[in-house]
Amino acid sequence: MSVKPRILIPGGAGYIGSHVVLVTLLTRKYRVTVLDNYHNSFPTAIKRLEQIALQELPADASQQEKDDCKVDVFKGDLRNKDDIAKVFDSYKGQDRIDGVILVAALKAVGESSEIPIDYYAVNVTGLINLLTIMRENKCNKLVYSSSATVYGTPPKVPIPETSPLQPESVYGRTKLMGEMIIRDTCDAYPEFRAIALRYFNPAGAHSSGFIGEDPRGKPGNLLPLLAQMAVGKYREGGLKVFGNDYPTPDGSCVRDYIHIEDLAGGHVNALEALEKDSIFDKEKTETVGKYRAFNLGKGVGMSVFNMVDAMRKVSGYEFPHEVVGRRKGDVPDLTADPALAEKELGFKATRSLDDMSRDLWNWQSKNPNGYESQ
Ligand code: NAD
Ligand code: WQD
């Protein structure tokens, strides 16, 4: 029996990472190793997703398939090259690490301008450390978590991948630098292949309600905040809606919210695409190397008030709110043009806004205190 390729997922314990690990296991085509320092996550997430993966196996699954639902976990930090080398050194021969999905990063826009060096250290130096160890171990496949934030304020919406890359925050610049470093690596080494996925606004949770987003402290992002308000937290003063005077249908900002399970699925599309020479045809790439970047969005814009209505419908909480001034750095509309990912990766986000709000509420109501609930 042939051995399944092993994929390393740094950041696999986090919100997006845990769903990516799960969907990768559910293909039954890969084995997974996670490297995480738990800066913003809990080991419980991995335990829980292993259980979901086991439960979803057919009754006649072999012992090997059950064993393959187990994730190898290394506690370690991308800023420390030895931590990464230790992971690669643990696998040799047929079991060597075949590819990497780099999800780990620091990701809070506001915080990034307060502690920029930490952001560059994790998101840029961490990436360079990873690429160095990958090269030393002849591991030449990478899927990279990028962000729609690299587009800054786009000149037109929906946003195609060819839109100018002009991030407006430290965080955004670390993500763009990451893309550039990876692109140059692909240019230098013809055997190195990489796909950057520019996520729009990931939302919701796995439909089991067993894994989901568990931010530390008061959430700065809209959906986790709504979910926590609905279970009774942060209600004082009501929801602050940041502006209702934008040039959008109801005056509030429009975003392209994409169900986390759809988004996670896009990583499997990318892993499979890395195997195909056709997506790296010269005329499709701006570069000489095997590097592509794709939007992962739904292509449907939703306003702040649309999201509040959706969460009210599932939770029954009224969300008293007050419109306050615009939040610094917000842009009126960030909606993806998802056509390229559909055409080249075969990726389509099919889950609806109702699915997102239902699954988010299912997770939050079952786990009012996140992973520390039980
Ligand atoms: P998260 O904080 O939940 O997950 C990140 C994971 O990386 C955590 O488990 C954290 O502990 C780990 N980590 C952080 N620093 C590390 C280090 N030095 N070494 C090892 N592990 C480390 O965040 P998320 O929302 O799951 O985001 C995942 C990725 O997606 C990030 O790269 C982020 O930039 C990108 N992204 C997120 C969003 C979003 O809205 N959540 C949107 C676009 C892009
Ligand atoms: C959504 C909308 C707010 C909170 C961020 C990052 C981006 C990406 C995804 C990583 C905006 C409004 C929010 C509140 C509000 N992350 N809002 N009241 O800003 O689109 O994107 O997460 O790559 O880089 O910037 O997401 O959830 O913070 O905000 O009115 O209390 O909700 O103004 O219009 P955002 P968000």
Side-chain angles (χ1 to χ4, degrees), residues 14-16 36-37 39-41 77-78 103 105 107 171 175:
Y15 170 45
I16 295 171
D36 205 301
N37 67 355
H39 169 78
N40 195 33
S41 54
D77 195 311
L78 285 178
V103 186
K107 61 155 186 181
Y171 165 68
K175 287 280 136 178

Side-chain angles (χ1 to χ4, degrees), residues 107 109 146-149 171 175 199-202 219-225 239-243 246 252-255 257 304 327 330-331 334:
K107 61 155 186 181
V109 174
S146 188
S147 168
T149 201
Y171 165 68
K175 287 280 136 178
Y199 311 156
F200 280 67
N201 287 55
N221 297 116
L222 181 65
L223 278 174
L225 178 61
L239 173 72
K240 308 270 183 274
V241 174
F242 299 139
Y246 285 98
S252 68
C253 286
V254 166
R255 296 288 179 268
Y257 297 91
V304 175
R327 184 173 69 176
D330 276 346
V331 298
L334 278 177

Side-chain angles (χ1 to χ4, degrees), residues 239-245 251-252 305 321-326:
L239 173 72
K240 308 270 183 274
V241 174
F242 299 139
N244 66 351
D245 57 351
S252 68
F305 292 116
H321 62 266
E322 171 192 9
V323 176
V324 296
R326 294 180 176 195

